[in-house]
């Protein structure tokens, strides 16, 4: 009996499991990469496995991240839709017997999911979104601090301190090759300098979008200095991209809108001398790739939303 009991304790000790929850959004998930590195550093022993639950459309952000042992994907609009889909997801998570859940999403769905994993220790922010289902909570005081420092307020509950804020992305060789082929198709001269400009923003924040006439003036000024401009954006920005390109027939703008995945965008930004963007996810990509950036802020507070970087 004693041997069996010791065996159970040994198995539990050797299979300590941590679940980090962050469904969305793109920029916010990139911001978690500093915390992930710190969690891994805190629990260095090989017997600690870190799993990360992310939304289907954002999973690429965490591909090849060395601090994650298991990448779990949820898809609430499709396979995990409704009560039946949600309960299937719960069942899948419960089978993994997590010891700790770190809820970085901090909404009703994530709090309920955290509780239903039956993990003994569940960490998150104190709010009015069923936070009582978490047994380790910290009040969200809405302090005027950077987004990574804000995240570490929660991680402090686990004894994890903020040592290094830098963000991380890990584009693969196939992403680098795609970008190389894309740029080679644009009649690039040897030793050409690039400046990247993200022309869009979230649909929810159209007030962040820089007017076309300002973008055009900047593109023209850069071209006079023999600097090629590559514009980026998603499929929603195609109309704006066409308008910008057509307004500058003498400027050879490279149009990357709607043509790049998130890791391909990271590979492209890596080739830029500077990247310019409104407060949106591509700005976080530039920070993760350690590329100097210019951040255009309008209705949001730069202190609370600017990604950490050395050159901006």
């Amino acid at each position: 009996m004693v041997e069996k009991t010791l065996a159970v304790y040994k198995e539990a000790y050797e299979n300590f499991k941590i679940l980090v929850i962050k469904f969305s959004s793109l920029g916010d998930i990139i911001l978690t990469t500093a915390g992930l590195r710190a969690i891994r550093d805190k629990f260095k022993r090989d017997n600690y496995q870190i799993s990360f639950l992310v939304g289907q459309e954002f999973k690429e952000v965490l591909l090849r991240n060395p601090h994650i042992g298991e990448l779990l994907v949820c898809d609430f609009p499709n396979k995990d839709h409704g009560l039946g889909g949600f309960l299937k997801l719960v069942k899948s998570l419960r089978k993994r017997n997590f010891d700790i859940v770190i809820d970085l999403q901090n909404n009703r769905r994530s709090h309920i999911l955290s509780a239903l994993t039956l993990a003994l220790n569940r960490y998150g922010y104190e709010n009015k979104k069923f936070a009582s289902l978490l047994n380790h909570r910290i009040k969200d005081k809405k302090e005027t601090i950077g987004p990574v420092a804000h995240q570490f307020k929660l991680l402090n509950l686990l004894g994890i301190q903020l040592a290094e804020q830098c963000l991380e992305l890990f584009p693969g060789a196939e992403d680098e090759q795609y970008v190389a082929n894309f740029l080679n198709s644009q009649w690039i001269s040897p030793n050409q300098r690039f400046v990247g400009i993200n022309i869009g923003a979230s649909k929810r924040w159209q007030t962040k979008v820089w007017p076309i006439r300002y973008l055009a003036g900047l593109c023209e000024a850069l071209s006079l200095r023999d600097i090629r401009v590559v514009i980026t954006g998603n499929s929603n920005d195609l109309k704006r991209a066409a308008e910008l390109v057509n307004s500058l027939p003498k400027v050879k703008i490279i149009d990357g809108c709607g043509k790049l995945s998130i890791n391909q965008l990271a590979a492209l930004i890596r080739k830029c001398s500077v990247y310019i963007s409104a407060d949106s996810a591509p700005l976080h990509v530039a920070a993760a790739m350690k590329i100097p950036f210019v951040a255009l802020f309008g209705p949001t507070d730069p202190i609370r939303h600017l990604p950490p970087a050395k050159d901006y």
Side-chain angles (χ1 to χ4, degrees):
M1 178 66 74
V2 173
E3 291 181 356
K4 289 183 178 180
T5 302
L6 290 175
V8 170
Y9 278 110
K10 185 175 185 294
E11 182 181 359
Y13 177 79
E14 293 178 349
N15 294 279
F16 198 89
K17 297 180 179 180
I18 301 170
L19 174 65
V20 179
I21 298 177
K22 186 65 176 174
F23 308 135
S24 62
S25 58
L26 181 55
D28 291 339
I29 292 171
I30 296 172
L31 286 170
T32 68
T33 58
L36 270 176
R37 184 177 59 251
I39 294 169
R40 177 73 276 173
D41 288 344
K42 172 67 176 180
F43 302 105
K44 287 182 179 179
R45 301 202 304 269
D46 291 339
N47 55 314
Y48 279 76
Q49 176 174 294
I50 299 173
S51 299
F52 196 111
L53 180 64
V54 68
Q56 169 70 28
E57 61 181 310
F58 305 116
K59 65 180 181 180
E60 188 183 358
V61 173
L62 299 169
L63 291 180
R64 292 176 291 273
N65 189 305
H67 312 302
I68 300 172
E70 181 184 33
L71 184 60
L72 305 174
V73 178
C74 56
D75 188 4
F76 294 118
N78 298 298
K79 73 177 180 65
D80 300 317
H81 178 70
L83 180 60
F86 186 77
L87 291 177
K88 286 182 181 179
L89 176 61
V90 168
K91 184 178 180 181
S92 173
L93 295 176
R94 192 176 289 180
K95 283 181 178 178
R96 287 172 165 81
N97 297 313
F98 290 110
D99 299 278
I100 290 177
V101 174
I102 303 173
D103 186 350
L104 297 179
Q105 188 67 38
N106 282 296
N107 63 16
R108 289 180 176 84
R109 178 181 281 164
S110 64
H111 288 339
I112 293 171
L113 194 60
S114 297
L116 292 179
T117 64
L118 302 184
L120 291 178
N121 294 286
R122 305 176 301 280
Y123 294 82
Y125 271 105
E126 176 70 69
N127 53 33
K128 297 179 181 179
K129 303 173 182 178
F130 299 134
S132 59
L133 296 174
L134 308 174
N135 55 357
H136 300 279
R137 303 185 296 274
I138 184 173
K139 287 188 179 296
D140 190 354
K141 298 179 180 179
K142 304 296 183 183
E143 299 171 86
T144 306
I145 57 176
V148 173
H150 178 266
Q151 182 187 118
F152 269 80
K153 288 284 187 178
L154 171 57
L155 297 181
N156 288 165
L157 293 178
L158 290 97
I160 300 173
Q161 304 302 318
L162 175 56
E164 178 54 65
Q165 292 198 58
C166 68
L167 310 180
E168 297 177 301
L169 283 174
F170 301 92
E174 66 278 13
D175 302 307
E176 302 282 357
Q177 188 59 55
Y178 178 92
V179 168
N181 293 340
F182 171 66
L183 292 176
N184 287 338
S185 70
Q186 302 296 316
W187 303 97
I188 303 299
S189 61
N191 302 316
Q192 179 69 63
R193 289 186 299 164
F194 297 95
V195 167
I197 304 177
N198 183 58
I199 67 170
S202 167
K203 283 185 176 181
R204 296 170 53 197
W205 285 98
Q206 287 303 295
T207 49
K208 294 181 180 181
V209 175
W210 217 32
I212 289 290
R213 65 183 185 277
Y214 296 155
L215 289 168
L218 177 58
C219 291
E220 193 167 30
L222 290 170
S223 71
L224 293 175
R225 296 171 178 258
D226 192 30
I227 297 173
R228 290 292 297 273
V229 172
V230 53
I231 59 174
T232 62
N234 59 32
S235 58
N236 297 319
D237 301 315
L238 295 177
K239 184 177 179 180
R240 279 173 54 79
E243 184 181 348
L244 176 61
V245 171
N246 292 336
S247 71
L248 296 169
K250 295 182 180 180
V251 178
K252 298 178 181 179
I253 294 176
I254 301 171
D255 185 1
C257 288
K259 300 173 183 176
L260 304 163
S261 68
I262 189 64
N263 279 324
Q264 289 165 355
L265 175 62
L268 175 67
I269 290 176
R270 182 181 274 161
K271 294 182 177 295
C272 295
S273 298
V274 176
Y275 191 71
I276 302 167
S277 176
D279 173 27
S280 60
L283 194 65
H284 298 74
V285 177
M289 300 313 294
K290 317 299 187 292
I291 295 300
F293 62 77
V294 176
L296 305 174
F297 275 86
T300 49
D301 184 349
I303 296 177
R304 293 186 62 187
H305 297 279
L306 187 71
K310 292 181 179 179
D311 300 301
Y312 58 84

